[in-house]
Amino acid sequence: ETDGALCTLTVNRPKVLNALNARVLEELSAAFEDIRGRSDVRAVVITGAGDRAFVAGADIAAMAELPVAEARKLAEKGHKVGDLIAQLPQPVLAAVNGFALGGGLELALACDVIFASKTAKLGQPEVNIGVMPGFGGTQRLIRRVGPGHAARLIYGGDPISAEEGHRLGLVDVLCEPATLLEETRALGKKIASRAPVAVGHAKQALRATFELPLAEGNRLEQQLFAELFAPHDQKEGMAAFLAKRPASFLGK
């Protein structure tokens, strides 16, 4: 659903706690591919239907008898969703409203900011069923909480509370259950009101820190900063600031 320039995606399988199967992953990929080409969408919120789960994990019933080749294809679908989120110019905010386990936590980890209800539970419990994270968890979790905590969560397989996740840096914003979506959308609307080209460039620079040495990252920042002086929005933003009036950003 859209509210102005804010788009909210809801994983809607509440009877199975919004578990991810191949079809849901394909639908998420299609949604993010559509959003990538839409100039009218400037921020995205993703959440799960109901109040019990964001996404409780991958659909175990659908995975139980998968041969190796099909398991690889499923992992590729999960990684595609995470890569699309990372590559979007629009920031993506996760509103974790319950269980975010396995593939659910991996979906949240791909997002730019993670909001969580104080009653949420988060974890990578895959070792309890004989597998390991396969949708990016081993790579993204360590970047959020460090090697020791990531190893504890992945090797031990036990979920943690949202409060502990917040202490570790896994959760960015803790919310009361009743206000979770409202607070997440409030940041989304604020982002949507900012200069979209500048926000997109800033996201690109932030994401590059995971891959580039500091010197290369600084060079990228300089390049992206300079590029913003050609678009309309830089001229409008600075003129509005100097004139003490609200800016009208066009996304160009």
Side-chain angles (χ1 to χ4, degrees), residues 35-38 41-44 85 88-92 112 200 203:
I35 288 168
R36 181 168 56 187
R38 291 181 57 179
V41 173
R42 298 184 178 182
V44 182
I85 291 172
L88 279 183
Q90 301 97 326
V92 181
D112 297 287
K203 176 173 176 175

Side-chain angles (χ1 to χ4, degrees), residues 47 52 88 97 104 118 135 194 203 230 250:
T47 192
R52 297 177 61 199
L88 279 183
N97 50 320
K118 291 180 179 179
F135 295 172
R194 306 313 191 203
K203 176 173 176 175
L250 301 180

Side-chain angles (χ1 to χ4, degrees), residues 4-245:
L6 177 66
C7 177
T8 300
L9 295 177
T10 303
V11 180
N12 188 24
R13 302 183 74 208
K15 291 183 179 179
V16 290
L17 300 181
N18 304 318
L20 300 174
N21 58 17
R23 178 178 175 181
V24 174
L25 292 171
E26 289 166 359
E27 290 179 352
L28 283 170
S29 290
F32 285 119
E33 285 173 340
D34 175 66
I35 288 168
R36 181 168 56 187
R38 291 181 57 179
S39 60
D40 61 315
V41 173
R42 298 184 178 182
V44 182
V45 170
I46 184 165
T47 192
D51 57 5
R52 297 177 61 199
F54 171 69
V55 170
D59 192 329
I60 307 303
M63 292 196 307
E65 300 299 327
L66 285 182
V68 170
E70 292 302 312
R72 175 62 181 265
K73 289 179 182 178
L74 183 66
E76 289 172 352
K77 291 179 189 294
H79 275 267
K80 182 179 179 181
V81 172
D83 291 343
L84 284 167
I85 291 172
Q87 293 161 9
L88 279 183
Q90 301 97 326
V92 181
L93 317 178
V96 177
N97 50 320
F99 292 112
L101 305 175
L105 181 55
E106 290 168 303
L107 179 61
L109 285 168
C111 297
D112 297 287
V113 184
I114 299 177
F115 286 72
S117 161
K118 291 180 179 179
T119 57
K121 298 288 184 184
L122 307 96
Q124 300 284 176
E126 288 89 346
V127 295
N128 295 314
I129 56 171
V131 292
M132 61 174 273
F135 295 172
T138 63
Q139 305 305 301
R140 291 193 172 98
L141 183 59
I142 198 169
R143 285 166 164 79
R144 272 201 169 250
V145 302
H149 291 305
R152 174 170 66 91
L153 293 172
I154 292 172
Y155 301 162
D158 293 327
I160 60 173
S161 67
E163 285 85 353
E164 182 176 357
H166 189 246
R167 289 196 299 272
L168 297 181
L170 175 56
V171 171
D172 299 304
V173 184
L174 271 179
C175 306
E176 295 297 334
T179 61
L180 169 68
L181 201 53
E182 176 186 348
E183 291 186 50
T184 310
R185 283 176 166 161
L187 177 59
K189 289 179 179 179
K190 180 177 289 187
I191 292 169
S193 73
R194 306 313 191 203
V197 179
V199 170
H201 275 42
K203 176 173 176 175
Q204 183 181 345
L206 284 169
R207 290 282 180 166
T209 63
F210 298 135
E211 300 174 3
L212 298 179
L214 178 59
E216 291 184 33
N218 280 334
R219 282 194 291 271
L220 175 63
E221 181 185 277
Q222 294 168 43
Q223 173 191 333
L224 294 172
F225 172 79
E227 287 177 1
L228 290 170
F229 281 75
H232 162 277
D233 284 353
Q234 173 266 329
K235 305 293 187 294
E236 165 62 14
M238 292 189 177
F241 176 83
L242 293 172
K244 297 181 172 56
R245 61 171 174 80

